[in-house]
Amino acid sequence: MRVDYIALAIPAFFILMGVEYLIARLKGKNLYRLNDTISDLTAGIYSRLTPLIYFGLFVFVYDWIYRNYRLMEWSMESVLAWILCFLGVDFFYYWFHRHTHSISFLWGCHEPHHSSEEYNLSVALRQGAFQGVFSWPYYLPLALFGFPWPMMAAMSSFNTLYQFWIHTRLIGRMGWFEILFNTPSHHRVHHGINPEYIDKNHGGTLIVWDKLFGSFQKEEQEPVYGTVKPLASWNPFYTQIQYWAYLWRISRATKFWKDKLLVWVKPPGWKPRDLPQSGPIPQVDAASYKKYDATQPVSLQIYIAIQFVLALAATVLLLFNASMPASQKVLYATFIVSTLFCTGILFEKHSWAAPLELLRLAFQAIFFYLAFYGKLSAPALAIGIAIGTAALVYYFWREQQNLKPQVAIA
Ligand SMILES: [Zn+2]
Ligand SMILES: [Zn+2]
């Protein structure tokens, strides 16, 4: 049975975010914006839902390699085994993370973690919903080296959980601790878009890999956070796929076949030879950098916050109720994904946001009534999801008419 340590830590995440918010307020700083935080947490929730689809395959393949091809055997009681497994997970995490920054199609799955222009604990939860699909092959060598699945899974969760607390601007330098370990200061550099900070400090728990493999950079000037090509959107779907959509567009725009393929494997920023080249990474300054912001009246912000809390509650119910029938799981997942999608769209002041939200509410009311008080058959569920999908496709088709200037490639 799979223990989702990350989901178990959800209450602690919220308490610590509250503490960070209050301490910052007492110091006269505001580290959180509602639109940005909801965007972070939405990406976090999406990234807990997608493994429900592919995670079983990962466990199966890992365990199959472990059972048939392991070169050695470690007992769950061996302290040495736990230490080696921790080092192994951290080492392979470093290389996966480094590759996400140097290979464009992998950057597409990791870029959502970097696209917030804030730096606070909620950014730690902002994850690429599809990152796990690409990261798991990196850990398969640990099955060959004989580390049993529960040990590897526990160490991998530890690696993820460790990285929560380093996403804060409230903790400064940490003396001897930062010689070996990843710290808020080291990881702020990792999120910086100042030219000297790009592609530095990829470590998970330990910073020693960066020092060994030449990717370490000390924090000097205050970083500007975000991505070189700003996301400038609160749309949660766009947040997850925007870099792949961009790669697709430049790969279609070039007439050179080789370049159409190279676009996906070259480092981010590489351009086909017949397209305008990206210049050097521009200098930025924390004091003058303009962050993307689209705010709404307080009443609408309260409405969005309530919808978000409902989606969060549904997420907790879904993640902790393993015995839920499959049709109800689909219902919950559809509710969570569509609610969070609409909250993001509402922040964007799009003319279609309100009609789309009304349509969503109507569908959900009918669906939940049928699921809990009537009979919800599989065909009704399929028809409902098909109509919902058609509404979304229509929405995106309308969106195409007014593409934002920053998503144009020229
Ligand atoms: Zn990164
Ligand atoms: Zn981070």
Side-chain angles (χ1 to χ4, degrees):
M1 156 73 201
R2 177 187 168 209
V3 184
D4 190 338
Y5 297 99
I6 316 289
L8 285 174
I10 290 174
F13 291 150
F14 278 88
I15 292 168
L16 290 167
M17 282 188 279
V19 170
E20 186 192 34
Y21 174 80
L22 288 175
I23 294 177
R25 273 327 277 264
L26 289 174
K27 290 183 166 181
K29 290 188 219 163
N30 189 5
L31 299 183
Y32 284 85
R33 289 184 287 154
L34 183 70
N35 42 23
D36 183 77
T37 305
I38 287 191
S39 175
D40 293 343
L41 300 177
T42 295
I45 291 174
Y46 281 5
S47 74
R48 298 322 297 163
L49 295 183
T50 41
L52 299 178
I53 303 167
Y54 68 78
F55 202 76
L57 178 72
F58 174 30
V59 183
F60 175 81
V61 173
Y62 188 97
D63 206 48
W64 178 75
I65 295 174
Y66 174 80
R67 276 185 285 109
N68 296 294
Y69 300 103
R70 64 173 182 270
L71 303 169
M72 53 194 88
E73 195 160 339
W74 296 98
S75 141
M76 289 287 283
E77 272 81 55
S78 158
V79 176
L80 179 66
W82 282 90
I83 294 171
L84 291 175
C85 185
F86 159 76
L87 289 172
V89 166
D90 209 48
F91 174 79
F92 289 116
Y93 173 81
Y94 169 82
W95 283 105
F96 168 68
H97 190 191
R98 187 166 166 165
H99 289 159
T100 62
H101 282 257
S102 56
I103 301 171
S104 277
F105 83 91
L106 287 178
W107 175 238
C109 79
H110 179 60
E111 187 261 5
H113 176 61
H114 285 268
S115 57
S116 168
E117 293 174 320
E118 300 295 337
Y119 192 77
N120 55 40
L121 291 175
S122 75
V123 175
L125 306 180
R126 180 189 184 99
Q127 295 289 334
F130 305 104
Q131 184 168 308
V133 176
F134 299 94
S135 67
W136 68 265
Y138 279 79
Y139 299 103
L140 294 179
L142 294 168
L144 272 183
F145 287 116
F147 296 104
W149 164 255
M151 186 185 277
M152 202 293 279
M155 285 295 97
S156 174
S157 297
F158 172 80
N159 191 285
T160 307
L161 289 171
Y162 178 88
Q163 293 184 55
F164 178 71
W165 76 278
I166 59 178
H167 289 84
T168 183
R169 289 162 63 188
L170 293 184
I171 299 174
R173 305 301 294 266
M174 296 187 73
W176 65 268
F177 189 76
E178 62 187 43
I179 298 172
L180 289 180
F181 291 94
N182 200 2
T183 63
S185 170
H186 293 331
H187 201 62
R188 284 194 290 269
V189 164
H190 180 69
H191 279 257
I193 54 168
N194 313 57
E196 69 275 26
Y197 290 165
I198 297 286
D199 298 342
K200 294 293 190 299
N201 301 1
H202 302 290
T205 305
L206 298 173
I207 199 70
V208 289
W209 312 119
D210 287 286
K211 293 183 174 175
L212 273 175
F213 300 115
S215 54
F216 177 70
Q217 168 66 44
K218 211 166 93 181
E219 185 182 33
E220 277 148 2
Q221 63 166 317
E222 190 188 349
V224 173
Y225 303 103
T227 44
V228 175
K229 180 177 144 357
L231 169 66
S233 170
W234 304 125
N235 178 333
F237 288 3
Y238 183 68
T239 299
Q240 291 294 340
I241 60 150
Q242 72 97 8
Y243 201 75
W244 286 325
Y246 165 77
L247 291 178
W248 173 249
R249 280 196 300 277
I250 54 172
S251 124
R252 273 183 34 157
T254 175
K255 60 180 194 321
F256 295 105
W257 276 99
K258 194 177 163 201
D259 288 15
K260 282 181 190 298
L261 300 175
L262 283 179
V263 159
W264 300 89
V265 291
K266 284 281 184 183
W270 184 88
K271 288 277 190 62
R273 64 199 110 149
D274 54 343
L275 295 187
Q277 299 298 302
S278 347
I281 292 166
Q283 286 290 345
V284 279
D285 174 52
S288 59
Y289 186 79
K290 197 128 183 56
K291 295 172 187 169
Y292 172 71
D293 200 22
T295 45
Q296 292 289 11
V298 175
S299 55
L300 187 57
Q301 292 193 36
I302 293 171
Y303 173 81
I304 291 173
I306 292 171
Q307 295 304 317
F308 173 79
V309 170
L310 291 174
L312 180 67
T315 307
V316 172
L317 283 173
L318 176 64
L319 293 180
F320 289 99
N321 194 348
S323 59
M324 197 185 265
S327 65
Q328 266 189 28
K329 279 186 182 163
V330 174
L331 195 70
Y332 270 82
T334 313
F335 170 74
I336 296 161
V337 171
S338 59
T339 303
L340 294 174
F341 175 74
C342 285
T343 58
I345 296 302
L346 283 170
F347 270 127
E348 286 211 336
K349 296 184 175 167
H350 193 280
S351 62
W352 271 86
L356 191 74
E357 172 68 355
L358 288 173
L359 192 69
R360 177 187 75 81
L361 288 174
F363 262 106
Q364 259 148 27
I366 298 166
F367 262 56
F368 274 87
Y369 178 81
L370 286 173
F372 294 103
Y373 299 105
K375 280 265 175 291
L376 182 73
S377 62
L381 188 67
I383 292 167
I385 290 172
I387 295 174
T389 312
L392 277 181
V393 170
Y394 183 57
Y395 163 81
F396 277 119
W397 176 75
R398 292 281 308 209
E399 274 283 87
Q400 285 290 314
Q401 325 284 319
N402 40 92
L403 272 182
K404 298 180 191 72
Q406 64 269 19
V407 299
I409 50 154

